[in-house]
Structures are given as C-alpha cells and as structure tokens.
Amino acid sequence: MLVLSEEVREATGAGRPVVALESTIIAHGLPRPRNLQVALELEDVVRREGAVPATIAVLDGQPHVGLDKGQLERVANEDGIRKLGHRDLPLAVASGASGATTVSATAQLAALAGLRVFATGGLGGVHREWTATQDESADLGLLARTRITVVCAGVKSILDVPATLQRLETLGVAVAGYRTERFPGFYLSDSGHPVDWTLRDPEQVAEVMRAQDALGEPESALIVANPVPPEQQLDPGLHARVLDEALRACEAEGITGQAVTPFLLAHLVRHTDGASLRANLAAVRGNVELAARIATAWAMR
C-alpha cells in the first residue's frame, strides 16, 4: 500500500541513509508561501548531509514515503488537506482522502517503510490540566510501540513537560539529551527538567539503536532531544509572560480539546512578533541536520 518515491526506494535498497520528515508543518504549521520554502529547505539540509529526505503524506488515499516537488507543492497549497494522526490513516486510505501526517502518523508510516530515523520539531505530550481533561497526545502511545529514532527539540512548552517525561518513562520510551543534561522545551533550550542520559555524537546514537535491536527489547522509540541553540531560542522571560497570557485567554474564550494547541501556538506567534516561529524553525533545522548525521552513522552498521 505504501508508495515509496524512486529516490527513497533506491536509497533503502542500497542501504543508504534516509530521514523521514513529517508534512503537518507544511500544510498546517506555516503560512503560504513560506511553508513550501521551508519544506524544500529542510529536504536540502538532509541532502547536504549525504542522506535522502523522505517527506511523508497521504495523497488520494495512498500513503507516500518521499514526495517529489509537485507533491510537496500540493501539500503546501491545496485547500482541504487534512491533518492525519495514526488513528486516521485507515480512514484516509479507505476514503481516498489527502492529508498531512503528524508525528504519530509519520512515525508509523516511516517504520512500515523500513526507515529508522525521523526528524521533527517538538513532540506532543501530556496537556496541562490533564487530571481534569485526560488530554494526552497520541504521539506517546504510538512511540511506545514503534521502533524508530525521533530527533526533536523536546516537547512543546505549552504542555505539561514533567508529566510528559513521566508518561514516557511509564510507557518505556527511551529519552536521551543530545550533548545536554537538560530536557529542551521546544522554543527553549532548557525546559527546566533533567534527562537521565546524554549522547554525545551521531555514532553513539547509532550504537544505542543497535543495542535496542540486539537486546530484543519491545518495539519502542528512542527520543533524541536536541536543544535549539541558546542564541536562537525564544527569550525565556518573554516566553513565560506570553504563554501565561495565552493560557488565560484560552480559558476565557472557552477553548478546549484539539483547538487548544493551535490556539496557544498562534497566540505565541502573534504576541512575540514572530520570535516563537523563528525559534521553531531554528529547532527544526537543527533536528533535521542531526537526524541526517544519525541516519548516516546507522547506515554504516
């Protein structure tokens, strides 16, 4: 059922490094035409590091692993492109729908295609007020049963970070900081919480991946938390103030459920004069670059 692009098919057949990329950032995360520019830029970052990019999306009911320029343009510009989590994939396939893949859907399709490394911005996680809402991202459960290495800038700082780390531990998902002993907070280099393990180079990450296989552990992900450089992060004081305002505005307007995250993220962009978006893109670029280097180290096994 999967449609692999010719470039991805040749690379996987030859054992060359491939990096999976999500498409939600293209269809739903950035305004036009910036979204297509960023999509092409991220693919170029992967290629400069000697790996092959595999942007993933569902088009007319077919999951595609690797998109050509025309398909990227379609995801970026076509109205009605849905946002697909892994639970939505069977429905999208059966109905012939088109959609951009979130972290959970991208990870699932990448693993089905035999890819092992995936780069994204920030993971979803446990939402604030979880005890009242029971709101938790589907990313966590999917990563607990999918053997893939996810390079990310931690979890979105609008979430309950300590609860998310606890949930990952409960689910048995390995988490390591990349050249840091602190868990990053998406826009921020440091979420205020530590990590138990630190990995220092792509080769060490690849060794952990090999150890996962050799030990015969249950299928689960490896989270490589790569902080945005301090000089490119959102000012922590500004972040704290604007996020507090956003949370109060969310409550005042009665926004709940799936509408909370996009509301908070949009509020941050508007009230930081775009600084949060710049930090987001800096984090994604760094994650994509690191993922390509990890994929290269993994391919040398």
Side-chain angles (χ1 to χ4, degrees), residues 25-279:
I25 190 174
I26 307 170
H28 302 286
L30 296 168
R32 302 170 183 169
R34 184 76 174 112
N35 55 348
L36 179 59
Q37 296 167 357
V38 169
L40 295 170
E41 176 189 349
L42 295 179
E43 291 207 342
D44 285 343
V45 169
V46 175
R47 290 193 175 94
R48 285 200 300 270
E49 294 297 327
V52 171
T55 303
I56 295 177
V58 177
L59 298 174
D60 302 318
Q62 286 194 312
H64 287 257
V65 179
L67 303 179
D68 61 29
K69 186 176 180 182
Q71 291 167 330
L72 282 173
E73 290 174 347
R74 183 178 172 188
V75 172
N77 297 320
E78 185 174 297
D79 293 331
I81 293 286
R82 300 182 67 120
K83 184 176 181 180
L84 304 177
H86 72 278
R87 70 168 188 170
D88 304 306
L89 292 175
L91 295 159
V93 169
S95 64
S98 296
T101 52
T102 64
V103 167
S104 65
T106 303
Q108 180 172 330
L109 293 175
L112 284 173
L115 308 186
R116 192 61 181 270
V117 182
F118 165 35
T120 187
L123 294 182
V126 177
H127 286 244
R128 295 166 188 253
E129 307 298 333
W130 181 89
T131 53
T133 65
Q134 302 289 292
D135 193 356
E136 174 184 308
S137 170
D139 295 355
L140 305 185
L142 190 282
L143 294 176
R145 57 182 185 272
T146 305
R147 181 56 54 82
I148 196 162
T149 295
V150 182
V151 182
C152 63
V155 299
K156 295 178 177 68
S157 54
I158 61 174
L159 302 173
D160 187 329
V161 176
T164 301
L165 287 170
Q166 181 61 56
R167 186 72 176 128
L168 287 167
E169 179 181 347
T170 300
L171 291 169
V173 178
V175 177
Y178 187 75
R179 297 180 179 173
T180 181
E181 296 178 354
R182 309 294 295 176
F183 190 69
F186 192 41
Y187 301 123
L188 306 176
S189 301
D190 182 356
S191 70
H193 302 277
V195 290
D196 293 327
W197 297 94
T198 301
L199 301 173
R200 297 294 176 185
D201 54 51
E203 290 72 24
Q204 193 175 22
V205 178
E207 283 300 316
V208 175
M209 296 163 63
R210 295 183 187 105
Q212 282 182 310
D213 293 347
L215 290 168
E217 293 187 331
E219 296 291 308
S220 62
L222 169 63
I223 306 300
V224 179
N226 181 40
V228 63
E231 65 274 12
Q232 294 180 308
Q233 72 174 337
L234 181 60
D235 176 78
L238 176 63
H239 172 271
R241 177 177 61 79
V242 175
L243 178 56
D244 181 65
E245 293 170 355
L247 291 167
R248 285 189 277 110
C250 190
E251 182 177 3
E253 296 183 30
I255 295 170
T256 60
Q258 292 183 337
V260 170
T261 294
F263 175 87
L264 294 177
L265 294 177
H267 188 101
L268 279 165
V269 171
R270 288 195 307 272
H271 293 275
T272 62
D273 293 326
S276 65
L277 180 58
R278 291 190 291 274

